[in-house]
Amino acid sequence: MDETMSDTARTKPFAPFEWLLSGRYLRARRREGFISVIAGFSFLGIMLGVATLIIVMAVMNGFRKELLDKILGLNGHLLVQPLESPLTDWKDVAERISQLDGIRLAAPVVDGQALASSAFNAAGVLVRGMRSADLNKLTSIAKNIKQGTLEGFDEGQGVTIGRRLADQLSLHAGDTITLVAPKGAVTPMGTTPRIKPYKVAAVFEIGMSEYDASFVFMPLPESQAYFNRKDDVTAIEVFTTNPDRIDAFRKSVTEAAGRPVFLVDWRQRNSTFFNALQVERNVMFLILTMIVLVAALNIVSGLIMLVKDKGQDIAILRTMGASQGSIMRIFLITGAAIGVVGTLTGFFVGMLICLNIESIRQFLSWMTNTELFSPELYFLSRLPAEIDFGETTAVVIMALTLSFLATLYPSWRAARLDPVDALRYE
């Protein structure tokens, strides 16, 4: 009875000698170098897997947030289009909608396509007619004016164009841009194109290359005249205080319109784009999780080899009074140490890269003399990274869990090793 109690006291859970032996096994000697190499690759695999997962998820979140901000900053959260008859009563409809709770702006717009040209180049553009007061409330435009000003936008014959369009046509604020619309005046010879020069009043840059290269803002009365619209508008762009609750605004906006209208929200207008982003994000998570899984399997193989190599040591420890639990905990600590240190190192590396990802991109672009993140291809002018701490925590917990699970079988085999057989075969 006393001997049993003595053994229990000597082998209490996570006793100092268990940590000592685990640390010694991690520092393999020369003849055990191969085991050390496997442990090193396991550590690198878990570190790279966790870091890559954190970086990729942060970049995907950054893409979604930046694109959502850019798209919803320029286009309405809810598009009100006319049914049965043209939207000639747009002033009253916009006024009623703008008075609803949660509605930030109801802006009548006239949309049309045209060819923009200068003495140097030409490009197809989307012309959007808006009132000056509405355009000034669009912070994505009003707060990103790079040249010129929006003052007196309704009064003159000026237009506002994107930075990339200005660069493509070699134009600056104060220069003249010529717009060509396919449908102009009706003559006995047929419909002729409408060609009209406009002064560039301002140049904006919102950071989304597709918009910066294709949008031209024109005063609403001028756009109505330019596109042969008498007193009507194309639609009313409605901006809400919370785009995620757009369904809650549908009924109230329909009632406030007071006429037959057709509503299209931002999710319907961009469903294909954002669904593709979500699918890509989920697939990347699954693929990169395999890196962590492979690293965890390396821990299994490394520990099994270590158990086989240390069979005589295990037998001697058992004969000296170490319990099966002690032996199991020794190898649990050995394998878990690789997983914990690898996960924490990967976490810090991933966070460090996410916080400095744009600087790293610029450095790599300068070093390789290539464009690693083309704005024309990726829509954005900078590489975004938005860290979601909930996702990051889930990645860390997943890596730790896989690491701990990987140690169970080798540790169980070590604890089940028969001391007599181990000594006999040694």
Side-chain angles (χ1 to χ4, degrees), residues 193-390:
R194 172 161 287 142
I195 305 173
K196 191 170 182 180
Y198 290 95
K199 177 185 175 183
V200 178
V203 176
F204 66 86
E205 183 179 20
I206 65 173
M208 188 168 180
S209 61
E210 186 179 11
Y211 290 167
D212 289 338
S214 60
F215 265 87
V216 173
F217 287 93
M218 181 184 291
L220 185 62
E222 179 61 25
S223 64
Q224 289 176 316
Y226 186 77
F227 289 110
N228 295 328
R229 307 189 79 96
K230 295 182 180 179
D231 297 319
D232 68 311
V233 298
T234 306
I236 297 176
E237 297 271 8
V238 178
F239 295 82
T240 66
T241 53
N242 188 352
D244 292 326
R245 294 185 58 253
I246 196 66
D247 289 331
F249 296 103
R250 277 181 165 272
K251 184 178 179 182
S252 58
V253 168
T254 303
E255 293 175 351
R259 54 158 295 151
V261 292
F262 178 67
L263 303 183
V264 182
D265 63 48
W266 66 270
R267 295 170 304 184
Q268 294 169 317
R269 296 166 77 178
N270 304 283
S271 60
T272 303
F273 187 68
F274 285 108
N275 286 342
L277 271 182
Q278 185 64 35
V279 170
E280 184 179 359
R281 183 170 170 274
N282 293 339
V283 171
M284 289 299 292
F285 181 85
L286 290 175
I287 293 173
L288 294 173
T289 301
M290 299 302 292
I291 299 177
V292 182
L293 185 58
V294 170
L297 292 177
N298 283 340
I299 294 178
V300 175
S301 59
L303 283 181
I304 289 176
M305 292 182 65
L306 184 63
V307 169
K308 190 172 182 62
D309 186 69
K310 299 295 183 182
Q312 189 176 16
D313 294 3
I314 295 170
I316 293 172
L317 286 171
R318 290 298 310 279
T319 57
M320 292 176 64
S323 66
Q324 287 186 338
S326 284
I327 301 300
M328 187 170 184
R329 285 191 293 272
I330 288 170
F331 289 94
L332 274 174
I333 294 170
T334 304
I338 299 171
V340 170
V341 176
T343 300
L344 293 180
T345 305
F347 168 76
F348 288 116
V349 170
M351 294 293 286
L352 186 64
I353 293 177
C354 287
L355 295 174
N356 300 279
I357 195 163
E358 178 62 17
S359 300
I360 294 172
R361 182 196 70 83
Q362 292 178 1
F363 172 74
L364 292 176
S365 296
W366 169 80
M367 194 171 180
T368 59
N369 197 27
T370 57
E371 185 68 61
L372 295 180
F373 186 76
S374 174
E376 289 80 6
L377 182 61
Y378 295 100
F379 300 107
L380 304 176
S381 57
R382 56 180 293 274
L383 185 61
E386 181 76 15
I387 299 172
D388 186 319
F389 289 100

Side-chain angles (χ1 to χ4, degrees), residues 19-30 32 36:
W19 290 93
L20 180 66
L21 285 174
S22 298
R24 185 168 182 178
Y25 288 163
L26 283 171
R27 299 188 299 273
R29 291 171 292 182
R30 181 176 299 175
E32 301 155 356
S36 180

Side-chain angles (χ1 to χ4, degrees), residues 64-79:
R64 188 182 187 281
K65 183 179 183 299
E66 287 288 327
L67 288 173
L68 194 61
D69 289 345
K70 297 291 189 297
I71 291 172
L72 298 187
L74 195 60
N75 296 306
H77 308 159
L78 198 60
L79 185 67

